[in-house]
Amino acid sequence: LALGIVACAPLLGQIPVVALVGVMLLVCQSTFSWGSLRLLGKVPNLDLFIISLVTFVTVKDDLAKAVLIGTITSALGFAWKQSTTISATISQTKLDPPSGPTLPNVKSYNINGPLFFASTQAFSRIFRVKEDPDDIVIDFTGSRVFDHSALEAINNIADRYGALGKRVYLRHLSKDCARLLGNVHEGGLPPYEVVESNPNDPFYGVAEKPEFYKDVPVPKSG
């Protein structure tokens, strides 16, 4: 085929460009899946926007730029979508403070959804610091801490409670996450921020700067 194109180049050069455009339009009309238009009302708006954006950039510039822009837009859209999924259910739980009697009914925020840079503001809005009792529990059984912003968000919440003389107990964090909280917080973990350890705590790493991880061994499952 390549040799044929090279050999017939002078002849191909005599074909009007308009004719070639017409051929390409007929090819597009024949190969396009017209049935996919029925999906326009069913495809998520974000996906529809990305498809339109990639198509526009491909026609205007080139496919390489379109792929790059589409990948970035898709990643940002995914992060935004995940940031809206974080929530909390409130329950009562038993608490055994390091000092003092056992508290049978302590308010517990049971976090659900990933905690990372895009969801930290939604995470902070969950709590009612002024209205809450002197001791509260934040349970991360249904969540996972992903990055430095998430660690800062947890410490900031604890500082807000600590400023009012209240204490926060953190449950079901990975071991390295618990130690990183102390490294990230200036001066180490304050007395009003208590991390409770449990044999059933999860295993996962946190995306963090090497200097904060220097004395924190990453846990290994099994």
Side-chain angles (χ1 to χ4, degrees), residues 131-149:
E131 293 84 0
D132 283 342
D134 291 341
D135 295 281
I136 69 134
V137 172
I138 304 179
D139 193 323
F140 289 89
T141 301
S143 181
R144 174 174 173 174
V145 178
F146 278 90
D147 55 20
H148 177 85
S149 298

Side-chain angles (χ1 to χ4, degrees), residues 30-66:
S30 301
T31 58
F32 185 79
S33 178
W34 295 100
S36 62
L37 295 176
R38 294 195 298 268
L39 300 176
L40 289 179
K42 303 177 182 179
V43 176
N45 292 334
L46 178 61
D47 293 347
L48 186 60
F49 171 76
I50 293 173
I51 292 172
S52 303
L53 178 62
V54 170
T55 303
F56 173 77
V57 176
T58 301
V59 174
K60 182 178 181 297
D61 292 315
D62 57 65
L63 182 60
K65 291 182 180 179

Side-chain angles (χ1 to χ4, degrees), residues 69-153:
I69 293 175
T71 302
I72 294 174
T73 306
S74 181
L76 293 176
F78 175 79
W80 174 81
K81 187 184 301 183
Q82 290 298 310
S83 70
T84 62
T85 62
I86 192 165
S87 61
T89 56
I90 298 176
S91 63
Q92 300 294 319
T93 186
K94 180 181 177 182
L95 180 63
D96 293 310
S99 60
T102 298
L103 303 176
N105 294 302
V106 176
K107 185 176 183 179
S108 174
Y109 287 92
N110 306 304
I111 308 300
N112 300 297
L115 181 56
F116 64 116
F117 68 92
S119 60
T120 53
Q121 291 187 359
F123 173 76
S124 300
R125 290 194 295 267
I126 290 173
F127 302 93
R128 300 292 179 264
V129 179
K130 293 182 179 179
E131 293 84 0
D132 283 342
D134 291 341
D135 295 281
I136 69 134
V137 172
I138 304 179
D139 193 323
F140 289 89
T141 301
S143 181
R144 174 174 173 174
V145 178
F146 278 90
D147 55 20
H148 177 85
S149 298
L151 297 173
E152 290 284 8

